Amino acid sequence: MNLTCDGETLQNYSGGKWVSSRSNETEAVVNPATGVTLAHVPLSTLEDVNAAVADAAHAFKTWSRVPAPKRARIMFSFQQLLVKHWDELAQLVTMENGKSFKEAHGEVLRGIECVEFAAGAPTLMMGNQLSSIATDIESGMYRYPIGVVGGITPFNFPMMVPFWMFPLAIACGNTFVLKPSERTPLTANRVAELLSQAGLPDGVFNIVHGARDVVNGMLSHPDITAISFVGSQPVAEYVYKTAAANGKRVQALAGAKNHTIVLPDADLDLAVKEIVGAAYGSAGERCMACAVVVAVGDVADELVQRLKNAGDELIIGNGLEENVFLGPVIRQSQKERATSYIEHGEREGAIVVRDGRNDPVSEDGYFLGATLLDHVKPGMKVWTDEIFAPVLSVVRVETFDEAIQIANQSDFANGACLFTDSASAIRKFREEIDAGMLGINLGVPAPMAFFPFSGWKKSFYGDLHANGKDGVEFYTRRKMVTARHS
Ligand code: NAD
């Protein structure tokens, strides 16, 4: 295994070889639960990007011509290796990201599902024909890969988010250069080893570690034809605009502020369990996290009390320890940012019903307990901004219409959920909510790999979303052939 987690400097992966970055600049990769440095990540240079893209462009010449069923077979082998190394990968995710082992295990499963979907490439890439478009003339559409794809990913899903990109891109015949988050770069290196073990030819999958310079190098590189990005809203907007201005196909998945509406007829046992999982799971560092509960009518008092009680029960600690639910946030700076939002909320009039700042936690890691803010109003900073921490806001309203209106006022529109027993309320919600991924009586409505991950508004920049048939469209281009037979 290429990594020992003993503080070594990570290498890039290019053309099937582990290579040192040309840069001497590094950043510490810290286990957020312990503060221990696991590795150093190089802040690679433009030359490193150029070398990896050259390897990927070279590999594209042969890989794009490998028959689709043969490419799919490598995905099958890869899937088996991922299943075999499931626990090890989950441990790595917990160590570098902090989420509980159970959540990390689930994250690895989400990654495996992407590989399983990508293994359907021979079917997914099929074109279509019309035998007669005019006398003796037929027409057919064929799909081809697009070239070298660049993937840029966030810290919060070091396994799942890269898997939204490279398995499908590769199975469709493209080659890939990944720039993982500099805060969680370890899982990607292990994945590269498993891909090689699965029989993936050299140069098809490459990694360049680093930060902004690597991203800018990718966005302007003439041999990268498409960019898949997942990260925060300002960076997503920048990546989208820059890549598009440079003539690239681009999909940029961005931040979120997901609202969950609870109606008076909701099953509160279910609602509380699901909301707690969605708001505090992965320490709130999920783009599908529940950030705001909109409590309708007289459900509010009991709901808030029950959410507080459930927050009191959560076990905080190192995600590798048994029964721990709430791990640390990613860095001390993120903890400070979250606590400053809580202070700001208090100043603006929100009531801190449960104060995670007071939970007894290890001083070595970046822990913040489950925090519950009541009487939050639209327009307050804790309502407008993505906090990305275990901080849940409750907005109280009188009517369902008001609740929908408030959810729709958010600039973000990744997901929205509703808890109710009413079929007509469910229909109204589906028709009137402006968000791309809706949950009915569940907390995290993240679609599986065969459906698109379909954020709206400032939660997504581009046309074709990640995963599902959108993903196939994104990673392929069409050729129309019209032929006369006479
Ligand atoms: P981030 O935007 O800080 O970083 C994402 C990637 O962009 C990283 O690889 C980083 O190195 C790079 N980057 C950061 N700043 C840059 C800059 N100025 N110029 C060029 N590149 C830059 O995001 P993060 O903190 O790692 O991840 C959390 C964010 O990702 C949250 O906002 C979350 O909602 C979002 N996210 C969205 C989805 C989705 O599907 N919509 C999924 C996961 C995470």
Side-chain angles (χ1 to χ4, degrees), residues 152-157 160-161 164 179-183 210-213 215-216 219 229-233 235-236 238-239 253-256 286-288 386 388 414 437 453 459:
I152 301 157
T153 53
F155 78 82
N156 65 325
F157 283 99
M160 179 184 78
V161 170
W164 286 353
K179 197 223 65 83
S181 167
E182 63 277 29
R183 288 181 280 182
R212 190 183 302 200
D213 289 349
V215 173
N216 286 329
L219 299 183
F229 173 89
V230 178
S232 61
Q233 184 274 327
V235 184
Y238 166 75
V239 164
L253 287 70
R286 286 198 285 227
C287 68
M288 292 300 284
E386 182 182 44
F388 224 53
N414 229 24
M437 293 173 276
F453 204 90
S459 292

mmCIF file of all heavy atoms in Angstrom, residues 152-157 160-161 164 179-183 210-213 215-216 219 229-233 235-236 238-239 253-256 286-288 386 388 414 437 453 459, ligand 1:
data_model
loop_
_atom_site.group_PDB
_atom_site.id
_atom_site.type_symbol
_atom_site.label_atom_id
_atom_site.label_comp_id
_atom_site.label_asym_id
_atom_site.label_seq_id
_atom_site.Cartn_x
_atom_site.Cartn_y
_atom_site.Cartn_z
ATOM 1 N N ILE A 152 -12.622 17.663 -9.698
ATOM 2 C CA ILE A 152 -12.164 18.457 -8.538
ATOM 3 C C ILE A 152 -13.180 18.213 -7.419
ATOM 4 O O ILE A 152 -14.381 18.440 -7.623
ATOM 5 C CB ILE A 152 -12.111 19.957 -8.911
ATOM 6 C CG1 ILE A 152 -11.156 20.174 -10.092
ATOM 7 C CG2 ILE A 152 -11.682 20.807 -7.701
ATOM 8 C CD1 ILE A 152 -11.439 21.435 -10.881
ATOM 9 N N THR A 153 -12.706 17.750 -6.263
ATOM 10 C CA THR A 153 -13.669 17.258 -5.261
ATOM 11 C C THR A 153 -13.482 17.904 -3.884
ATOM 12 O O THR A 153 -12.412 18.415 -3.561
ATOM 13 C CB THR A 153 -13.555 15.722 -5.161
ATOM 14 O OG1 THR A 153 -12.195 15.357 -4.930
ATOM 15 C CG2 THR A 153 -14.038 15.055 -6.432
ATOM 16 N N PRO A 154 -14.536 17.852 -3.054
ATOM 17 C CA PRO A 154 -14.525 18.486 -1.724
ATOM 18 C C PRO A 154 -14.056 17.518 -0.642
ATOM 19 O O PRO A 154 -13.858 16.328 -0.901
ATOM 20 C CB PRO A 154 -15.997 18.826 -1.517
ATOM 21 C CG PRO A 154 -16.730 17.697 -2.177
ATOM 22 C CD PRO A 154 -15.875 17.275 -3.350
ATOM 23 N N PHE A 155 -13.954 18.039 0.597
ATOM 24 C CA PHE A 155 -13.434 17.214 1.696
ATOM 25 C C PHE A 155 -14.476 16.292 2.294
ATOM 26 O O PHE A 155 -14.148 15.324 2.974
ATOM 27 C CB PHE A 155 -12.859 18.118 2.808
ATOM 28 C CG PHE A 155 -13.924 18.737 3.689
ATOM 29 C CD1 PHE A 155 -14.481 18.010 4.739
ATOM 30 C CD2 PHE A 155 -14.389 20.023 3.458
ATOM 31 C CE1 PHE A 155 -15.475 18.561 5.536
ATOM 32 C CE2 PHE A 155 -15.390 20.571 4.234
ATOM 33 C CZ PHE A 155 -15.937 19.835 5.279
ATOM 34 N N ASN A 156 -15.767 16.586 2.085
ATOM 35 C CA ASN A 156 -16.758 15.942 2.952
ATOM 36 C C ASN A 156 -17.121 14.525 2.552
ATOM 37 O O ASN A 156 -17.623 13.774 3.377
ATOM 38 C CB ASN A 156 -18.007 16.825 3.105
ATOM 39 C CG ASN A 156 -18.766 17.012 1.826
ATOM 40 O OD1 ASN A 156 -18.167 17.094 0.756
ATOM 41 N ND2 ASN A 156 -20.069 17.089 1.910
ATOM 42 N N PHE A 157 -16.877 14.150 1.283
ATOM 43 C CA PHE A 157 -17.064 12.754 0.872
ATOM 44 C C PHE A 157 -15.841 12.322 0.069
ATOM 45 O O PHE A 157 -15.898 12.260 -1.164
ATOM 46 C CB PHE A 157 -18.348 12.600 0.047
ATOM 47 C CG PHE A 157 -19.603 12.598 0.875
ATOM 48 C CD1 PHE A 157 -20.367 13.744 1.002
ATOM 49 C CD2 PHE A 157 -20.009 11.442 1.538
ATOM 50 C CE1 PHE A 157 -21.527 13.750 1.767
ATOM 51 C CE2 PHE A 157 -21.166 11.445 2.309
ATOM 52 C CZ PHE A 157 -21.926 12.593 2.425
ATOM 53 N N MET A 160 -17.105 8.995 -1.892
ATOM 54 C CA MET A 160 -18.295 9.003 -2.751
ATOM 55 C C MET A 160 -18.217 10.027 -3.881
ATOM 56 O O MET A 160 -18.558 9.718 -5.027
ATOM 57 C CB MET A 160 -19.547 9.274 -1.907
ATOM 58 C CG MET A 160 -20.825 9.309 -2.736
ATOM 59 S SD MET A 160 -22.268 9.730 -1.764
ATOM 60 C CE MET A 160 -22.106 11.511 -1.585
ATOM 61 N N VAL A 161 -17.768 11.242 -3.579
ATOM 62 C CA VAL A 161 -17.865 12.278 -4.618
ATOM 63 C C VAL A 161 -16.934 11.990 -5.810
ATOM 64 O O VAL A 161 -17.387 12.055 -6.960
ATOM 65 C CB VAL A 161 -17.683 13.692 -4.036
ATOM 66 C CG1 VAL A 161 -17.538 14.709 -5.159
ATOM 67 C CG2 VAL A 161 -18.887 14.068 -3.169
ATOM 68 N N TRP A 164 -18.673 9.719 -8.053
ATOM 69 C CA TRP A 164 -19.727 10.251 -8.919
ATOM 70 C C TRP A 164 -19.162 10.543 -10.311
ATOM 71 O O TRP A 164 -19.907 10.725 -11.258
ATOM 72 C CB TRP A 164 -20.266 11.580 -8.368
ATOM 73 C CG TRP A 164 -21.140 11.467 -7.172
ATOM 74 C CD1 TRP A 164 -21.623 10.346 -6.590
ATOM 75 C CD2 TRP A 164 -21.644 12.572 -6.396
ATOM 76 N NE1 TRP A 164 -22.389 10.676 -5.500
ATOM 77 C CE2 TRP A 164 -22.426 12.023 -5.362
ATOM 78 C CE3 TRP A 164 -21.508 13.951 -6.482
ATOM 79 C CZ2 TRP A 164 -23.069 12.815 -4.413
ATOM 80 C CZ3 TRP A 164 -22.145 14.745 -5.544
ATOM 81 C CH2 TRP A 164 -22.925 14.184 -4.517
ATOM 82 N N LYS A 179 -8.274 15.869 -8.892
ATOM 83 C CA LYS A 179 -7.640 16.670 -7.840
ATOM 84 C C LYS A 179 -8.520 16.536 -6.598
ATOM 85 O O LYS A 179 -9.553 17.184 -6.469
ATOM 86 C CB LYS A 179 -7.513 18.146 -8.223
ATOM 87 C CG LYS A 179 -6.506 18.819 -7.317
ATOM 88 C CD LYS A 179 -6.877 20.175 -6.787
ATOM 89 C CE LYS A 179 -8.008 20.360 -5.882
ATOM 90 N NZ LYS A 179 -7.779 20.093 -4.447
ATOM 91 N N PRO A 180 -8.104 15.642 -5.677
ATOM 92 C CA PRO A 180 -8.920 15.468 -4.465
ATOM 93 C C PRO A 180 -8.791 16.692 -3.567
ATOM 94 O O PRO A 180 -7.869 17.503 -3.723
ATOM 95 C CB PRO A 180 -8.277 14.253 -3.781
ATOM 96 C CG PRO A 180 -7.240 13.722 -4.722
ATOM 97 C CD PRO A 180 -6.888 14.826 -5.663
ATOM 98 N N SER A 181 -9.690 16.794 -2.593
ATOM 99 C CA SER A 181 -9.550 17.859 -1.598
ATOM 100 C C SER A 181 -8.204 17.715 -0.894
ATOM 101 O O SER A 181 -7.804 16.612 -0.513
ATOM 102 C CB SER A 181 -10.665 17.748 -0.559
ATOM 103 O OG SER A 181 -10.352 18.588 0.545
ATOM 104 N N GLU A 182 -7.530 18.828 -0.712
ATOM 105 C CA GLU A 182 -6.229 18.790 -0.012
ATOM 106 C C GLU A 182 -6.411 18.443 1.467
ATOM 107 O O GLU A 182 -5.471 18.079 2.155
ATOM 108 C CB GLU A 182 -5.465 20.113 -0.183
ATOM 109 C CG GLU A 182 -6.133 21.357 0.403
ATOM 110 C CD GLU A 182 -7.177 21.982 -0.528
ATOM 111 O OE1 GLU A 182 -7.790 21.244 -1.326
ATOM 112 O OE2 GLU A 182 -7.384 23.206 -0.439
ATOM 113 N N ARG A 183 -7.666 18.563 1.960
ATOM 114 C CA ARG A 183 -7.898 18.229 3.370
ATOM 115 C C ARG A 183 -8.163 16.732 3.570
ATOM 116 O O ARG A 183 -7.970 16.213 4.659
ATOM 117 C CB ARG A 183 -9.059 19.084 3.920
ATOM 118 C CG ARG A 183 -8.627 20.544 4.086
ATOM 119 C CD ARG A 183 -9.718 21.408 4.640
ATOM 120 N NE ARG A 183 -10.668 21.801 3.604
ATOM 121 C CZ ARG A 183 -11.699 22.597 3.807
ATOM 122 N NH1 ARG A 183 -11.921 23.080 5.007
ATOM 123 N NH2 ARG A 183 -12.511 22.911 2.819
ATOM 124 N N GLY A 210 -3.223 18.873 -4.515
ATOM 125 C CA GLY A 210 -2.932 20.297 -4.378
ATOM 126 C C GLY A 210 -4.184 21.093 -4.152
ATOM 127 O O GLY A 210 -5.209 20.556 -3.709
ATOM 128 N N ALA A 211 -4.085 22.377 -4.466
ATOM 129 C CA ALA A 211 -5.189 23.284 -4.166
ATOM 130 C C ALA A 211 -5.469 24.169 -5.378
ATOM 131 O O ALA A 211 -5.528 23.686 -6.506
ATOM 132 C CB ALA A 211 -4.865 24.087 -2.912
ATOM 133 N N ARG A 212 -5.557 25.460 -5.132
ATOM 134 C CA ARG A 212 -6.011 26.410 -6.144
ATOM 135 C C ARG A 212 -5.199 26.368 -7.453
ATOM 136 O O ARG A 212 -5.758 26.391 -8.538
ATOM 137 C CB ARG A 212 -5.921 27.814 -5.521
ATOM 138 C CG ARG A 212 -6.562 28.900 -6.308
ATOM 139 C CD ARG A 212 -6.348 30.212 -5.640
ATOM 140 N NE ARG A 212 -6.881 30.211 -4.267
ATOM 141 C CZ ARG A 212 -7.168 31.302 -3.576
ATOM 142 N NH1 ARG A 212 -6.953 32.480 -4.100
ATOM 143 N NH2 ARG A 212 -7.650 31.227 -2.361
ATOM 144 N N ASP A 213 -3.856 26.280 -7.330
ATOM 145 C CA ASP A 213 -3.028 26.304 -8.546
ATOM 146 C C ASP A 213 -3.321 25.106 -9.449
ATOM 147 O O ASP A 213 -3.307 25.226 -10.681
ATOM 148 C CB ASP A 213 -1.530 26.286 -8.179
ATOM 149 C CG ASP A 213 -1.098 27.612 -7.572
ATOM 150 O OD1 ASP A 213 -1.900 28.574 -7.634
ATOM 151 O OD2 ASP A 213 0.024 27.675 -7.023
ATOM 152 N N VAL A 215 -6.183 23.494 -9.577
ATOM 153 C CA VAL A 215 -7.506 23.733 -10.170
ATOM 154 C C VAL A 215 -7.376 24.700 -11.350
ATOM 155 O O VAL A 215 -7.884 24.429 -12.450
ATOM 156 C CB VAL A 215 -8.492 24.299 -9.116
ATOM 157 C CG1 VAL A 215 -9.816 24.711 -9.762
ATOM 158 C CG2 VAL A 215 -8.731 23.271 -8.015
ATOM 159 N N ASN A 216 -6.667 25.795 -11.147
ATOM 160 C CA ASN A 216 -6.532 26.760 -12.242
ATOM 161 C C ASN A 216 -5.802 26.153 -13.437
ATOM 162 O O ASN A 216 -6.147 26.429 -14.583
ATOM 163 C CB ASN A 216 -5.825 28.031 -11.742
ATOM 164 C CG ASN A 216 -6.762 28.867 -10.884
ATOM 165 O OD1 ASN A 216 -7.966 28.871 -11.099
ATOM 166 N ND2 ASN A 216 -6.220 29.558 -9.889
ATOM 167 N N LEU A 219 -8.380 24.104 -15.222
ATOM 168 C CA LEU A 219 -9.433 24.887 -15.886
ATOM 169 C C LEU A 219 -8.944 25.514 -17.192
ATOM 170 O O LEU A 219 -9.744 25.809 -18.084
ATOM 171 C CB LEU A 219 -9.954 25.997 -14.958
ATOM 172 C CG LEU A 219 -10.594 25.542 -13.645
ATOM 173 C CD1 LEU A 219 -11.117 26.745 -12.863
ATOM 174 C CD2 LEU A 219 -11.721 24.552 -13.884
ATOM 175 N N PHE A 229 -16.973 19.268 -11.127
ATOM 176 C CA PHE A 229 -16.583 19.909 -9.863
ATOM 177 C C PHE A 229 -17.660 19.686 -8.824
ATOM 178 O O PHE A 229 -18.859 19.776 -9.117
ATOM 179 C CB PHE A 229 -16.384 21.423 -10.065
ATOM 180 C CG PHE A 229 -16.158 22.155 -8.768
ATOM 181 C CD1 PHE A 229 -14.871 22.319 -8.263
ATOM 182 C CD2 PHE A 229 -17.233 22.666 -8.035
ATOM 183 C CE1 PHE A 229 -14.657 22.971 -7.044
ATOM 184 C CE2 PHE A 229 -17.032 23.316 -6.820
ATOM 185 C CZ PHE A 229 -15.741 23.476 -6.325
ATOM 186 N N VAL A 230 -17.241 19.452 -7.585
ATOM 187 C CA VAL A 230 -18.157 19.473 -6.445
ATOM 188 C C VAL A 230 -17.466 20.234 -5.321
ATOM 189 O O VAL A 230 -16.316 19.926 -4.972
ATOM 190 C CB VAL A 230 -18.532 18.048 -5.972
ATOM 191 C CG1 VAL A 230 -19.441 18.115 -4.750
ATOM 192 C CG2 VAL A 230 -19.224 17.269 -7.083
ATOM 193 N N GLY A 231 -18.153 21.218 -4.753
ATOM 194 C CA GLY A 231 -17.563 21.991 -3.665
ATOM 195 C C GLY A 231 -18.472 23.140 -3.274
ATOM 196 O O GLY A 231 -19.684 23.117 -3.544
ATOM 197 N N SER A 232 -17.896 24.157 -2.663
ATOM 198 C CA SER A 232 -18.706 25.257 -2.133
ATOM 199 C C SER A 232 -19.209 26.167 -3.262
ATOM 200 O O SER A 232 -18.657 26.184 -4.364
ATOM 201 C CB SER A 232 -17.878 26.062 -1.130
ATOM 202 O OG SER A 232 -16.758 26.603 -1.785
ATOM 203 N N GLN A 233 -20.236 26.938 -2.943
ATOM 204 C CA GLN A 233 -20.903 27.746 -3.976
ATOM 205 C C GLN A 233 -19.986 28.751 -4.678
ATOM 206 O O GLN A 233 -19.974 28.803 -5.917
ATOM 207 C CB GLN A 233 -22.126 28.445 -3.357
ATOM 208 C CG GLN A 233 -22.966 29.229 -4.343
ATOM 209 C CD GLN A 233 -22.430 30.640 -4.543
ATOM 210 O OE1 GLN A 233 -21.893 31.232 -3.624
ATOM 211 N NE2 GLN A 233 -22.568 31.169 -5.746
ATOM 212 N N VAL A 235 -16.783 28.777 -5.141
ATOM 213 C CA VAL A 235 -15.782 28.108 -5.981
ATOM 214 C C VAL A 235 -16.477 27.439 -7.174
ATOM 215 O O VAL A 235 -15.979 27.478 -8.302
ATOM 216 C CB VAL A 235 -14.939 27.092 -5.166
ATOM 217 C CG1 VAL A 235 -13.841 26.497 -6.037
ATOM 218 C CG2 VAL A 235 -14.309 27.768 -3.949
ATOM 219 N N ALA A 236 -17.653 26.862 -6.938
ATOM 220 C CA ALA A 236 -18.400 26.225 -8.039
ATOM 221 C C ALA A 236 -18.721 27.251 -9.125
ATOM 222 O O ALA A 236 -18.570 26.977 -10.322
ATOM 223 C CB ALA A 236 -19.695 25.609 -7.512
ATOM 224 N N TYR A 238 -17.128 30.042 -9.740
ATOM 225 C CA TYR A 238 -15.866 30.411 -10.393
ATOM 226 C C TYR A 238 -15.424 29.325 -11.379
ATOM 227 O O TYR A 238 -15.047 29.619 -12.524
ATOM 228 C CB TYR A 238 -14.792 30.633 -9.304
ATOM 229 C CG TYR A 238 -13.386 30.686 -9.849
ATOM 230 C CD1 TYR A 238 -12.938 31.809 -10.530
ATOM 231 C CD2 TYR A 238 -12.518 29.606 -9.687
ATOM 232 C CE1 TYR A 238 -11.649 31.845 -11.059
ATOM 233 C CE2 TYR A 238 -11.241 29.635 -10.191
ATOM 234 C CZ TYR A 238 -10.808 30.752 -10.883
ATOM 235 O OH TYR A 238 -9.543 30.786 -11.402
ATOM 236 N N VAL A 239 -15.487 28.085 -10.936
ATOM 237 C CA VAL A 239 -15.058 26.967 -11.792
ATOM 238 C C VAL A 239 -15.947 26.891 -13.030
ATOM 239 O O VAL A 239 -15.461 26.733 -14.158
ATOM 240 C CB VAL A 239 -15.097 25.632 -10.999
ATOM 241 C CG1 VAL A 239 -15.033 24.421 -11.917
ATOM 242 C CG2 VAL A 239 -13.956 25.586 -9.980
ATOM 243 N N LEU A 253 -21.279 21.196 -8.975
ATOM 244 C CA LEU A 253 -22.254 20.992 -7.900
ATOM 245 C C LEU A 253 -21.800 21.809 -6.701
ATOM 246 O O LEU A 253 -20.629 21.750 -6.309
ATOM 247 C CB LEU A 253 -22.347 19.511 -7.543
ATOM 248 C CG LEU A 253 -23.063 18.604 -8.554
ATOM 249 C CD1 LEU A 253 -22.270 18.418 -9.839
ATOM 250 C CD2 LEU A 253 -23.372 17.252 -7.939
ATOM 251 N N ALA A 254 -22.728 22.558 -6.099
ATOM 252 C CA ALA A 254 -22.330 23.577 -5.136
ATOM 253 C C ALA A 254 -22.973 23.383 -3.765
ATOM 254 O O ALA A 254 -23.468 22.316 -3.449
ATOM 255 C CB ALA A 254 -22.670 24.941 -5.722
ATOM 256 N N GLY A 255 -22.964 24.446 -2.973
ATOM 257 C CA GLY A 255 -23.420 24.397 -1.580
ATOM 258 C C GLY A 255 -24.929 24.269 -1.439
ATOM 259 O O GLY A 255 -25.665 24.191 -2.423
ATOM 260 N N ALA A 256 -25.380 24.268 -0.196
ATOM 261 C CA ALA A 256 -26.799 23.993 0.044
ATOM 262 C C ALA A 256 -27.265 24.613 1.358
ATOM 263 O O ALA A 256 -26.453 24.984 2.210
ATOM 264 C CB ALA A 256 -27.026 22.488 0.080
ATOM 265 N N ARG A 286 -22.659 17.789 5.157
ATOM 266 C CA ARG A 286 -23.224 17.109 3.982
ATOM 267 C C ARG A 286 -23.976 18.133 3.160
ATOM 268 O O ARG A 286 -24.699 18.958 3.714
ATOM 269 C CB ARG A 286 -24.218 16.021 4.414
ATOM 270 C CG ARG A 286 -23.593 14.785 4.982
ATOM 271 C CD ARG A 286 -24.573 13.625 4.979
ATOM 272 N NE ARG A 286 -25.564 13.778 6.014
ATOM 273 C CZ ARG A 286 -25.925 12.790 6.852
ATOM 274 N NH1 ARG A 286 -25.374 11.602 6.769
ATOM 275 N NH2 ARG A 286 -26.855 12.999 7.740
ATOM 276 N N CYS A 287 -23.857 18.039 1.838
ATOM 277 C CA CYS A 287 -24.617 18.976 1.001
ATOM 278 C C CYS A 287 -26.101 18.643 1.046
ATOM 279 O O CYS A 287 -26.929 19.430 0.606
ATOM 280 C CB CYS A 287 -24.117 18.941 -0.430
ATOM 281 S SG CYS A 287 -24.497 17.392 -1.228
ATOM 282 N N MET A 288 -26.454 17.471 1.582
ATOM 283 C CA MET A 288 -27.867 17.127 1.747
ATOM 284 C C MET A 288 -28.281 17.189 3.220
ATOM 285 O O MET A 288 -29.340 16.658 3.599
ATOM 286 C CB MET A 288 -28.146 15.736 1.168
ATOM 287 C CG MET A 288 -28.013 15.658 -0.345
ATOM 288 S SD MET A 288 -29.136 16.778 -1.211
ATOM 289 C CE MET A 288 -30.663 15.890 -1.028
ATOM 290 N N GLU A 386 -24.760 28.735 4.364
ATOM 291 C CA GLU A 386 -24.457 27.324 4.649
ATOM 292 C C GLU A 386 -23.419 27.297 5.771
ATOM 293 O O GLU A 386 -22.308 27.812 5.608
ATOM 294 C CB GLU A 386 -23.892 26.651 3.395
ATOM 295 C CG GLU A 386 -23.596 25.175 3.597
ATOM 296 C CD GLU A 386 -22.986 24.511 2.365
ATOM 297 O OE1 GLU A 386 -22.091 25.100 1.739
ATOM 298 O OE2 GLU A 386 -23.408 23.397 2.036
ATOM 299 N N PHE A 388 -22.495 24.347 7.520
ATOM 300 C CA PHE A 388 -21.733 23.113 7.304
ATOM 301 C C PHE A 388 -21.130 22.603 8.611
ATOM 302 O O PHE A 388 -19.921 22.388 8.745
ATOM 303 C CB PHE A 388 -20.640 23.356 6.249
ATOM 304 C CG PHE A 388 -20.540 22.233 5.245
ATOM 305 C CD1 PHE A 388 -21.661 21.796 4.560
ATOM 306 C CD2 PHE A 388 -19.329 21.593 4.977
ATOM 307 C CE1 PHE A 388 -21.587 20.752 3.633
ATOM 308 C CE2 PHE A 388 -19.242 20.554 4.056
ATOM 309 C CZ PHE A 388 -20.373 20.137 3.381
ATOM 310 N N ASN A 414 -30.746 22.571 -3.165
ATOM 311 C CA ASN A 414 -30.308 21.195 -3.388
ATOM 312 C C ASN A 414 -31.456 20.254 -3.047
ATOM 313 O O ASN A 414 -32.022 19.619 -3.893
ATOM 314 C CB ASN A 414 -29.090 20.897 -2.493
ATOM 315 C CG ASN A 414 -27.955 20.264 -3.268
ATOM 316 O OD1 ASN A 414 -27.861 20.432 -4.478
ATOM 317 N ND2 ASN A 414 -27.097 19.534 -2.578
ATOM 318 N N MET A 437 -34.057 17.921 -5.196
ATOM 319 C CA MET A 437 -34.128 16.566 -4.622
ATOM 320 C C MET A 437 -35.029 16.611 -3.387
ATOM 321 O O MET A 437 -34.700 17.248 -2.397
ATOM 322 C CB MET A 437 -32.721 16.078 -4.264
ATOM 323 C CG MET A 437 -31.864 15.856 -5.515
ATOM 324 S SD MET A 437 -30.139 15.486 -5.189
ATOM 325 C CE MET A 437 -29.437 17.112 -4.996
ATOM 326 N N PHE A 453 -27.988 13.596 -9.604
ATOM 327 C CA PHE A 453 -27.915 14.370 -8.354
ATOM 328 C C PHE A 453 -28.239 15.804 -8.731
ATOM 329 O O PHE A 453 -27.386 16.548 -9.197
ATOM 330 C CB PHE A 453 -26.498 14.241 -7.782
ATOM 331 C CG PHE A 453 -26.456 14.463 -6.306
ATOM 332 C CD1 PHE A 453 -26.604 13.408 -5.428
ATOM 333 C CD2 PHE A 453 -26.275 15.735 -5.795
ATOM 334 C CE1 PHE A 453 -26.572 13.612 -4.055
ATOM 335 C CE2 PHE A 453 -26.248 15.949 -4.423
ATOM 336 C CZ PHE A 453 -26.392 14.882 -3.556
ATOM 337 N N SER A 459 -27.227 25.913 -6.037
ATOM 338 C CA SER A 459 -26.643 24.626 -5.645
ATOM 339 C C SER A 459 -26.079 23.872 -6.836
ATOM 340 O O SER A 459 -25.508 22.788 -6.661
ATOM 341 C CB SER A 459 -27.691 23.750 -4.950
ATOM 342 O OG SER A 459 -28.043 24.313 -3.697
HETATM 343 P P1 NAD B 1 -14.328 23.944 -1.381
HETATM 344 O O1 NAD B 1 -15.091 24.719 -2.391
HETATM 345 O O2 NAD B 1 -13.536 24.655 -0.364
HETATM 346 O O3 NAD B 1 -13.306 22.961 -2.140
HETATM 347 C C1 NAD B 1 -13.717 22.134 -3.186
HETATM 348 C C2 NAD B 1 -12.542 21.941 -4.136
HETATM 349 O O4 NAD B 1 -12.206 23.198 -4.723
HETATM 350 C C3 NAD B 1 -11.287 21.439 -3.418
HETATM 351 O O5 NAD B 1 -10.678 20.465 -4.215
HETATM 352 C C4 NAD B 1 -10.434 22.697 -3.277
HETATM 353 O O6 NAD B 1 -9.054 22.431 -3.329
HETATM 354 C C5 NAD B 1 -10.851 23.541 -4.467
HETATM 355 N N1 NAD B 1 -10.805 24.987 -4.177
HETATM 356 C C6 NAD B 1 -11.105 25.585 -2.997
HETATM 357 N N2 NAD B 1 -10.973 26.926 -3.113
HETATM 358 C C7 NAD B 1 -10.594 27.166 -4.380
HETATM 359 C C8 NAD B 1 -10.317 28.353 -5.113
HETATM 360 N N3 NAD B 1 -10.404 29.552 -4.550
HETATM 361 N N4 NAD B 1 -9.957 28.242 -6.405
HETATM 362 C C9 NAD B 1 -9.881 27.029 -7.003
HETATM 363 N N5 NAD B 1 -10.120 25.879 -6.344
HETATM 364 C C10 NAD B 1 -10.496 25.933 -5.067
HETATM 365 O O7 NAD B 1 -15.382 22.933 -0.715
HETATM 366 P P2 NAD B 1 -15.163 22.020 0.563
HETATM 367 O O8 NAD B 1 -15.142 22.872 1.784
HETATM 368 O O9 NAD B 1 -14.045 21.071 0.323
HETATM 369 O O10 NAD B 1 -16.499 21.165 0.522
HETATM 370 C C11 NAD B 1 -17.694 21.542 1.143
HETATM 371 C C12 NAD B 1 -18.635 22.203 0.162
HETATM 372 O O11 NAD B 1 -18.950 21.303 -0.892
HETATM 373 C C13 NAD B 1 -19.969 22.565 0.796
HETATM 374 O O12 NAD B 1 -20.354 23.821 0.340
HETATM 375 C C14 NAD B 1 -20.911 21.480 0.299
HETATM 376 O O13 NAD B 1 -22.257 21.845 0.261
HETATM 377 C C15 NAD B 1 -20.366 21.269 -1.083
HETATM 378 N N6 NAD B 1 -20.787 19.967 -1.594
HETATM 379 C C16 NAD B 1 -21.775 19.961 -2.528
HETATM 380 C C17 NAD B 1 -22.247 18.750 -3.013
HETATM 381 C C18 NAD B 1 -23.353 18.729 -4.018
HETATM 382 O O14 NAD B 1 -23.659 17.659 -4.518
HETATM 383 N N7 NAD B 1 -23.976 19.834 -4.359
HETATM 384 C C19 NAD B 1 -21.696 17.551 -2.542
HETATM 385 C C20 NAD B 1 -20.670 17.603 -1.587
HETATM 386 C C21 NAD B 1 -20.226 18.833 -1.116
#
